[in-house]
């Protein structure tokens, strides 16, 4: 009876130790995510961090120079864009860790199945040996004071058949594999938690940067006379941008002999119909903001709304400016263009052919802007026209 109890105790120890061993042939052939991919993301994150630090240094140099407010705002917009990229990179890392941890958990579950099979074989052999009266085998076994000692003693028993040795060899391999898999799992969990902590830090940084950008616009407003020269330059920049739009549109028409896209315009986003500022004369109280509004502002879009191409065409401008912030211009034919401004990011580049409804960027608050919104313009025949004539069912918010 005591012998049977000792066998049961040792059996239970084996079951607990080898419960997480991989079953050969049962693990998926390929993983969706690899450590190399996560390492590549980490390298990208380091590069983004380096760029962000450079911008922080430039911002620090400008912080006490009130005359450089416009330049500071432009640098802040760039820093915000980089922080958003860092957040996206970290989120991808976390997703990768979760995929690897799920894969590891699957492998460990399969290991348990394999261990049960191996241990059942071991127990059956032990039962046969006991019934056959091979007591010397078990006399050595019961003298072991630890699992490692047990394996060592069994290796020296001459009466153990080759079959028993093969079973024990497999169990040893499973034990080593379990330890390695557990180490990998612990390392992945630690890296995942580190990435999650970094994500929270970056989100906090993004909020601080956006708050600083908003405060800077308020500062510009409070010092309108001091910044008038720079604001005049912003207005001149808008004129240059419009001239460039017309020139590029005409050149593109000559090169491609494009004809105007048939059909009407769709809304440039799908979240809001609220127009916060119409086309024409206005007094926003925001220095640098145009007093003769060349388009319309759509509010209620936040920082995550997709901006859509309202007609098919070719991107003739995609850049960051002090006035418009991140903006995109699309040519739809001779003299027919649309402009989308103050975006937090752009998804297209100059020369891209876009279809109606294609995502070209994300709404935001870059450039001279107070609060997240989308500035939208339409040009026909080389002249700006009122977008509200083409956007039905809008809500008046001014």
């Amino acid at each position: 009876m005591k012998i049977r109890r000792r066998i049961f105790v040792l059996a239970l120890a084996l079951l607990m130790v080898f419960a997480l061993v991989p079953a050969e042939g049962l693990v998926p052939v390929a993983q969706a995510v690899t450590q190399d991919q996560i390492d590549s993301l980490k390298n990208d994150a380091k590069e983004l961090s380096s760029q962000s630090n450079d911008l922080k240094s430039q911002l620090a140099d400008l912080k006490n120079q009130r005359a450089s407010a416009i330049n500071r705002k432009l640098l802040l917009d760039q820093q915000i864009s980089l922080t958003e990229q860092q957040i996206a990179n970290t989120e991808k890392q976390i997703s990768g860790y979760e995929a690897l941890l799920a894969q590891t958990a699957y492998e460990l579950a399969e290991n348990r199945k394999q261990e049960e099979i191996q241990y059942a074989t071991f127990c059956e052999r032990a039962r046969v040996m006991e019934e056959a009266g091979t007591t010397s085998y078990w006399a050595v076994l019961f003298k072991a004071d630890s699992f490692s000692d047990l394996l060592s003693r069994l290796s020296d028993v001459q009466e153990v058949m080759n079959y028993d040795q093969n079973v024990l060899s497999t169990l040893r391999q499973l034990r080593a594999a379990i330890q390695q898999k557990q180490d990998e799992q612990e390392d992945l969990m630690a890296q995942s938690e580190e990435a999650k902590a970094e994500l929270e830090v970056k989100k906090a940084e993004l909020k601080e940067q956006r708050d600083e950008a908003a405060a800077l616009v308020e500062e510009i407003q409070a010092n309108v006379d001091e910044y008038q020269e720079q604001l005049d330059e912003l207005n001149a920049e808008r004129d240059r941008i419009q001239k460039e739009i017309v020139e590029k549109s005409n050149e593109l028409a000559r090169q491609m002999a494009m004809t105007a896209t048939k059909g009407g315009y769709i809304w440039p986003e799908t979240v809001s119909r609220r127009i916060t500022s119409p086309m024409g004369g206005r007094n926003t109280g925001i220095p640098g903001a145009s007093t003769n509004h060349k388009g319309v502002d759509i509010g209620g879009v936040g920082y995550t709304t997709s901006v859509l191409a309202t007609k098919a065409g070719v991107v003739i401008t995609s850049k960051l400016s002090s006035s418009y912030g991140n903006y995109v211009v699309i040519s739809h034919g001779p003299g027919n263009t649309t402009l989308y401004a103050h975006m937090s990011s752009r998804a297209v580049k100059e020369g891209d052919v876009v279809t109606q409804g294609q995502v070209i960027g994300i709404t935001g608050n870059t450039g001279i802007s107070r609060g997240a919104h989308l500035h939208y313009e339409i040009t026909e025949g080389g002249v700006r026209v009122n977008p509200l004539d083409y956007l039905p069912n809008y809500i008046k918010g001014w």
Side-chain angles (χ1 to χ4, degrees):
M1 188 64 180
K2 291 183 178 179
I3 292 177
R4 291 180 182 275
R5 185 178 296 110
R6 293 292 297 276
I7 293 174
F8 175 78
V9 171
L10 289 171
L12 183 60
L14 285 169
L15 180 61
M16 294 177 66
V17 172
F18 298 121
L20 304 176
V21 183
E24 185 176 354
L26 294 177
V27 178
V29 175
Q31 298 181 7
V33 179
T34 67
Q35 185 65 47
D36 287 343
Q37 291 172 324
I38 294 179
D39 290 342
S40 177
L41 284 171
K42 287 184 175 181
N43 289 333
D44 292 342
K46 289 180 181 179
E47 177 62 25
L48 289 171
S49 179
S50 176
Q51 294 179 40
S52 180
N53 289 334
D54 289 342
L55 285 171
K56 287 179 181 178
S57 177
Q58 295 179 58
L59 282 168
D61 293 339
L62 291 170
K63 196 160 187 178
N64 295 321
Q65 302 176 29
R66 300 181 71 183
S68 301
I70 302 300
N71 289 334
R72 286 166 54 199
K73 180 61 168 65
L74 182 61
L75 287 173
L76 274 171
D77 288 340
Q78 295 174 342
Q79 188 179 50
I80 287 170
S81 177
L82 279 173
T83 303
E84 289 172 339
Q85 293 178 57
Q86 289 176 314
I87 288 174
N89 177 287
T90 305
E91 288 175 339
K92 288 180 181 178
Q93 289 186 47
I94 292 172
S95 178
Y97 286 129
E98 290 176 348
L100 286 175
L101 284 168
Q103 176 71 14
T104 302
Y106 174 85
E107 293 172 354
L108 292 176
E110 294 300 321
N111 291 343
R112 292 188 180 96
K113 297 178 184 178
Q114 181 66 11
E115 190 277 334
E116 289 175 0
I117 295 173
Q118 291 294 323
Y119 183 68
T121 301
F122 180 83
C123 288
E124 176 60 22
R125 180 58 184 168
R127 185 188 63 79
V128 171
M129 293 289 289
E130 183 182 15
E131 291 177 351
T134 314
T135 56
S136 58
Y137 180 98
W138 295 108
V140 173
L141 185 151
F142 292 140
K143 290 180 182 179
D145 55 10
S146 68
F147 182 78
S148 298
D149 187 25
L150 170 66
L151 294 179
S152 177
R153 286 173 177 272
L154 287 176
S155 297
D156 297 330
V157 175
Q158 297 299 318
E159 297 181 15
V160 178
M161 298 171 58
N162 289 335
Y163 179 79
D164 298 296
Q165 290 288 1
N166 289 336
V167 171
L168 291 172
S169 176
T170 300
L171 290 176
R172 291 190 184 94
Q173 293 172 10
L174 292 175
R175 179 185 175 93
I178 286 174
Q179 186 60 53
Q180 179 181 357
K181 190 63 62 179
Q182 288 175 333
D183 293 343
E184 291 175 1
Q185 189 177 48
E186 290 177 2
D187 183 56
L188 284 172
M189 292 178 66
Q191 293 184 63
S192 179
E193 291 303 314
E194 182 179 348
K196 289 178 181 178
E198 178 68 15
L199 179 61
E200 294 305 313
V201 171
K202 290 302 176 186
K203 285 183 176 179
E205 286 183 5
L206 179 60
K207 182 180 183 305
E208 290 178 0
Q209 291 162 3
R210 284 176 173 166
D211 290 345
E212 184 177 355
L216 189 53
V217 171
E218 295 292 339
E219 179 188 335
I220 295 173
Q221 179 183 1
N223 298 277
V224 61
D225 293 336
E226 186 175 342
Y227 298 128
Q228 190 58 55
E229 182 178 350
Q230 296 180 64
L231 300 180
D232 290 342
E233 291 179 1
L234 291 178
N235 289 327
E237 180 185 39
R238 290 192 184 95
D239 293 338
R240 289 195 298 270
I241 288 173
Q242 178 60 20
K243 182 179 179 181
E244 181 184 8
I245 289 171
V246 174
E247 291 175 351
K248 286 189 175 183
S249 179
N250 291 337
E251 178 63 23
L252 187 63
R254 287 193 294 269
Q255 292 178 358
M256 303 181 64
M258 291 179 59
T259 58
T261 306
K262 294 182 179 180
Y265 301 87
I266 65 172
W267 271 84
E269 46 74 38
T270 60
V271 171
S272 174
R273 291 292 185 271
R274 183 168 176 266
I275 303 299
T276 57
S277 182
M279 184 174 183
R282 64 175 183 171
N283 181 14
T284 64
I286 305 176
S290 174
T291 55
N292 183 18
H293 207 203
K294 306 302 184 182
V296 297
D297 290 342
I298 303 174
V301 293
Y303 293 93
T304 59
T305 299
S306 295
V307 179
L308 312 178
T310 55
K311 292 176 71 174
V314 177
V315 177
I316 59 175
T317 303
S318 178
K319 61 176 63 173
L320 174 67
S321 76
S322 299
S323 55
Y324 280 133
N326 281 308
Y327 77 102
V328 168
V329 181
I330 302 174
S331 174
H332 310 290
N336 181 204
T337 62
T338 50
L339 178 147
Y340 316 75
H342 304 307
M343 295 184 290
S344 61
S345 63
R346 293 168 279 122
V348 292
K349 62 183 182 301
E350 185 173 325
D352 285 351
V353 177
V354 296
T355 58
Q356 187 176 51
Q358 180 176 332
V359 175
I360 62 172
I362 302 296
T363 55
N365 187 34
T366 57
I368 299 302
S369 165
R370 179 184 291 171
H373 72 282
L374 175 65
H375 175 80
Y376 175 64
E377 298 180 13
I378 297 177
T379 299
E380 291 192 344
V383 179
R384 290 187 179 97
V385 296
N386 190 350
L388 296 185
D389 293 339
Y390 303 88
L391 300 178
N393 302 321
Y394 67 86
I395 300 173
K396 184 175 180 180
W398 71 90

